[in-house]
Amino acid sequence: MSQEKNQEQPSMMQCAMNLGAVLGLYYIGKFCLFPLSLHSTFAALLFLGLTLMVPFLVYRLTKLYRDRYSGGCIDFSRAFVFVLLTMGFGSLLAAAAHYIYFAYIDGGAIVEALEQSISQFTAIDLSTLEGAEGTETAIAQFNEYIELMRTTAAQLRAMSAIEMTMGMLSNNVSWAIVVALPVALFAKKM
């Protein structure tokens, strides 16, 4: 008696969840560099590089879905929805790690690093620049930047772990919408 291999193809939602888990693990690994990037230029550059690689990774995941589970063709709207779902599920997984970090690990380290940067900037002696052309505007803009950093530090200090996590989740979802458009355009294949 021969056994039939009557396996159903997974739905787009199932594939988006599975590939979203892969993306979520990538987000978590990338996020591990974030605290290090506050004190290391190399870690900050690596974090930035990994962030810029997200659209390419999402494209590869979408192409994998298209070729393996969608019969080799996908239209723009289906690719767009798939990218949004995949990045959404990845963002939810990463949000769990973000919450754990902010609630139990961080202990205000991000705010302290920002305040250290502010104190280093305020220690800069700008009086040596006086008299040069355009320095009054540059000094005013520099002081505005420092004030913006102080406001940001105060806002971050007032936020709870869940508020920080929800802010990062919101950023990831917004980023998903921006990434989904070009990825869906390049991944579509009729």
Side-chain angles (χ1 to χ4, degrees):
M1 190 178 227
S2 69
Q3 294 180 350
E4 290 183 28
K5 292 186 178 181
N6 190 13
Q7 296 177 349
E8 291 184 28
Q9 289 288 335
S11 69
M12 179 170 55
M13 185 71 75
Q14 290 170 325
C15 289
M17 282 190 275
N18 292 336
L19 296 175
V22 171
L23 187 62
L25 292 174
Y26 180 84
Y27 283 160
I28 292 168
K30 182 176 69 88
F31 182 72
C32 289
L33 290 172
F34 180 69
L36 299 174
S37 71
L38 299 173
H39 304 288
S40 167
T41 305
F42 176 73
L45 289 173
L46 188 58
F47 179 79
L48 178 64
L50 291 174
T51 300
L52 294 175
M53 290 300 298
V54 168
F56 299 102
L57 175 61
V58 171
Y59 171 75
R60 294 288 296 159
L61 294 175
T62 305
K63 191 176 167 203
L64 175 74
Y65 169 72
R66 178 194 72 197
D67 295 340
R68 188 175 291 175
Y69 301 108
S70 188
C73 54
I74 191 169
D75 63 356
F76 175 82
S77 60
R78 190 166 171 83
F80 183 77
V81 169
F82 179 78
V83 171
L84 287 180
L85 287 171
T86 302
M87 291 186 79
F89 288 125
S91 296
L92 286 173
L93 183 60
H98 294 161
Y99 179 75
I100 291 168
Y101 174 77
F102 289 124
Y104 303 108
I105 299 170
D106 181 59
I110 292 175
V111 176
E112 287 175 21
L114 185 58
E115 289 174 345
Q116 284 178 349
S117 296
I118 293 168
S119 65
Q120 289 173 352
F121 281 135
T122 55
I124 296 173
D125 183 19
L126 298 176
S127 63
T128 59
L129 300 175
E130 290 181 9
E133 185 177 325
T135 57
E136 291 178 12
T137 306
I139 291 171
Q141 289 175 343
F142 183 76
N143 289 332
E144 286 177 21
Y145 178 71
I146 290 175
E147 195 55 42
L148 176 66
M149 288 178 68
R150 283 188 178 128
T151 304
T152 302
Q155 289 172 345
L156 285 174
R157 188 172 295 286
M159 291 175 78
S160 67
I162 194 70
E163 289 171 331
M164 290 179 130
T165 301
M166 293 307 289
M168 293 186 82
L169 179 61
S170 174
N171 286 341
N172 283 343
V173 170
S174 299
W175 179 238
I177 294 168
V178 171
V179 168
L181 291 169
V183 167
L185 188 64
F186 285 110
K188 74 175 184 164
K189 185 178 182 184
M190 302 307 278

